[in-house]
Structure formats: structure tokens, C-alpha cells
Amino acid sequence: MEPVLIVLVVLVVVAFIALIKTIQVIPQASAAIVERFGRYTRTLNAGLNIVVPFIDRVRNRIDLREQVVPFPPQPVITQDNLVVNIDTVIYYQVTDARAATYEVASYIQAIEQLTVTTLRNIIGSMDLESTLTSREVINAGLRGVLDEATGKWGIRVNRVELKAIEPPTSIQDSMEKQMRADRDKRAAILTAEGARQAQILRAEGEKQAEVLKAEGEAQAAVLRADGEAAAIRTVFEAIHDGDADQKLLAYQYLQTLPELAKGDSNKLWIIPSEVGDALKGLGGAFTGLTGNGGANGGAPAAPSAPAPAATQVPLDPAAGPRPLDTDTKGAARPRVDPAREYRKIDPE
């Protein structure tokens, strides 16, 4: 019984292994190459697949999704004999698992070497400035060459990107200095334009302010003149409506005269000639009052002589008072104090 049991156990194990080798489960977006006695038979797609155990062999599984492969920096010489290091990134996708397995030994290495040689051909026909500013042109050129060469390998190159372009250190310093100079130039231009615009706006604002100020002063002068005219007209109408006589006007005139002497800067005072007329009117008024009720029994007073014209006499504060002075008739009279603001001069 023991040999039979051992044989049964061996048969079960072989059957189990055969079953495992017969059933092949392929994940989604993957493919497998099946060889029978070393020869390509078919390609297994995603799902459950049945193969002949111990006869069919699954060689390798290939991922059909888009792959991203970064390549290390490659030194490339430009047209103006400058060495730049360029990092590239390739986006590719396997479209034919059989061709990717049998047409090329290692499609990753083949794509890398093809990228380097194509990149050197493209960059070798461009100078440094064009290389730095023409990434789209370089990407399109690389993609066209790689897609054409890798088509027979069952691979499609979707995109080629230049991750970095590093010129020599001395060139980088020169580029930084040039960029800094350009930025300083633009900053100086913008500052000058801002100052110019500010001066223009300030001048326009001052101009508008002066215009508005002049208009305001003109309107104020007009309103002031209208107010003074209305005040004068009101006073004139009030005087005429009140029928003021000459006595009242003379009294008001004499009350106004002291206002002319106010002020510390007044060194002399001009007595108008109309003062005589005002005094004459007041004198007539007081004469009429005293003539009616005085000691002379109501006799009318003799008419007074006309007032002499005013004479401008300068004051000399530095000179001291003189003792006496004589008039034309020989009578002695005291000298008027020079501290007074004005005096009358006897014409005789």
C-alpha cells in the first residue's frame, strides 16, 4: 500500500502543477508572449487563458500602459561650440507585445541611445540662445525621429520633454548679469516714467487749483462788490427817506474824523477842507440855540466867517516844545505840544 500511496500523491502533485500551468490569468493592460518549444505561438490578452502545460511557455509579461522613462543628463555641443547638459524624459507605450519582444533586445536602452544621438543632431544645428528658447522645436524633432524609428519595435513615443538645459557656469553668470542689467534698465525706465507722470499730474492739479482759486476770488470780489453796492444803496435810500438835514450830516462827519487818526503808523493828519463847512453848520445850530435862550435876550448871532482851508503841518517828535510864540498882532501864545496828532495854523 505504501508504494501505491506514494504514486497517488505524486500524481496529485503533478496534476496540481499542470493545472497551475494550464490556467494563466493576465492582468488588465498587460500582455504575455506564449512560446511552444521555443517558437512564438500567440499573445495572451487580459483575462483567463488556457495553455498546454509543459509544452507552452509564457516567456514574459509586458505592460501596455504608457511609461515614463527619465534619462540622465547628456552633454551636447551647440553650433557655437558650447557644451550643455540636457535631461530628457520620454513618454512611450507598447502597442505590439510580439514586436517589442522579438524585434529589439531591449527597447528601453534602444530608445535612450536613439534619443541621445537625435538630440545631438538637433542641438548641433542650433546656437545656445536658440537652444534655450526653442524647446518646443526640439521636442517636436525628437518625437518625430523616435516615433518613426520605434514604430517597427511595436512602441509609440507619445511625448518627449526636455527637463533641464544647463549651460556652462561661466555662461550662466554672463546670462545672469545680462538679465540683471535688463531688469535694472526696465526698472529705471519705469521709475522715470512714473516720475514724469507724477510731475504731469501734479502740474495739472496745481493748474486746476489756481484756476479754481482765481474763479473763487473773482466770484467773491463780485459778491463783495454787490454787497457793498447794496449797502451803499440802502444807506443812501435811508438818508433820503429820513430827510436828514445838514446838521445831522455835519455831526456824523465830525464823529468819523477821529477814526482817520487811529493807527501807530500815522505820523501826520490831513484835515479836509470840508471840516469848516461842518463846523459852520454846527456853529449855526448852537448859535440858534443860544440866541433863543441866552443872556443877550435872543439876539441873533453874527454870521461866522468861513473856515480857513486846512494846512498840512508835519510833526517833529524829536524837537522839544518852544516856550512862546507870537501871532501877527503881537500877542504871546504858547507853542502847541508836538505830541498832538494835528493842529490848526492861523493864516494871519
Side-chain angles (χ1 to χ4, degrees):
M1 288 297 295
E2 293 181 358
V4 177
L5 182 60
I6 293 174
V7 171
L8 291 177
V9 171
V10 171
L11 291 176
V12 171
V13 171
V14 171
F16 182 75
I17 294 174
L19 181 62
I20 292 176
K21 288 183 173 295
T22 302
I23 300 174
Q24 296 290 332
V25 178
I26 306 301
Q28 183 67 31
S30 298
I33 301 300
V34 178
E35 294 180 349
R36 180 172 295 177
F37 301 112
R39 184 178 180 179
Y40 171 76
T41 303
R42 60 189 174 125
T43 300
L44 301 180
N45 296 321
L48 182 64
N49 296 274
I50 305 298
V51 297
V52 178
F54 305 107
I55 297 176
D56 294 339
R57 182 176 69 90
V58 178
R59 179 175 178 176
N60 59 351
R61 299 172 186 269
I62 298 176
D63 194 348
L64 300 180
R65 295 175 297 179
E66 185 175 2
Q67 303 293 322
V68 181
V69 179
F71 295 144
Q74 299 294 330
V76 182
I77 301 176
T78 61
Q79 187 178 10
D80 48 359
N81 297 324
L82 293 175
V83 180
V84 294
N85 295 323
I86 300 179
D87 296 349
T88 55
V89 179
I90 303 297
Y91 295 82
Y92 72 93
Q93 185 177 9
V94 177
T95 58
D96 189 352
R98 186 192 65 81
T101 303
Y102 297 104
E103 294 296 334
V104 62
S106 175
Y107 56 85
I108 298 296
Q109 185 178 2
I111 292 174
E112 180 180 0
Q113 297 301 321
L114 184 60
T115 301
V116 171
T117 56
T118 305
L119 189 61
R120 289 178 178 176
N121 292 332
I122 296 175
I123 300 300
S125 61
M126 303 172 63
D127 56 4
L128 178 61
E129 186 175 357
S130 301
T131 302
L132 296 175
T133 58
S134 304
R135 293 197 176 193
E136 294 296 333
V137 177
I138 299 173
N139 293 340
L142 279 174
R143 183 178 178 278
V145 174
L146 291 176
D147 197 12
E148 182 180 358
T150 58
K152 63 180 180 179
W153 300 340
I155 296 174
R156 182 180 63 206
V157 178
N158 296 327
R159 296 185 63 183
V160 179
E161 295 292 341
L162 300 181
K163 186 168 62 175
I165 301 177
E166 297 180 359
T169 306
S170 59
I171 301 300
Q172 291 182 5
D173 295 338
S174 300
M175 293 172 61
E176 290 178 359
K177 292 179 181 179
Q178 182 181 1
M179 185 181 300
R180 189 179 302 111
D182 292 339
R183 290 181 177 177
D184 293 340
K185 176 183 176 182
R186 290 196 297 268
I189 292 174
L190 292 177
T191 303
E193 291 180 354
R196 174 176 172 271
Q197 190 68 21
Q199 291 179 358
I200 292 175
L201 294 177
R202 189 180 300 110
E204 291 180 354
E206 292 177 355
K207 176 183 176 182
Q208 293 179 0
E210 292 294 334
V211 170
L212 294 177
K213 182 179 179 181
E215 291 179 354
E217 292 178 354
Q219 294 179 0
V222 171
L223 295 176
R224 195 179 300 111
D226 292 341
E228 293 177 357
I232 293 173
R233 189 181 303 110
T234 302
V235 173
F236 183 79
E237 292 177 355
I239 291 174
H240 281 273
D241 292 340
D243 194 13
D245 55 359
Q246 186 178 3
K247 300 176 183 179
L248 178 60
L249 297 178
Y251 179 72
Q252 293 293 331
Y253 187 80
L254 291 177
Q255 284 185 338
T256 308
L257 286 178
E259 298 295 331
L260 300 175
K262 290 183 178 180
D264 298 335
S265 61
N266 294 331
K267 298 301 181 181
L268 56 90
W269 185 26
I270 300 174
I271 301 176
S273 59
E274 289 82 357
V275 176
D277 297 336
L279 292 175
K280 180 180 178 181
L282 288 177
F286 286 112
T287 302
L289 292 175
T290 54
N292 293 328
N296 55 359
S304 62
T311 304
Q312 180 177 352
V313 179
L315 299 178
D316 189 4
R322 285 175 289 182
L324 292 175
D325 194 4
T326 57
D327 55 8
T328 55
K329 298 180 180 181
R333 62 178 182 179
R335 170 68 64 176
V336 179
D337 188 359
R340 297 182 57 186
E341 295 180 352
Y342 66 94
R343 64 176 180 174
K344 287 187 178 181
I345 303 300
D346 190 358
E348 298 179 356

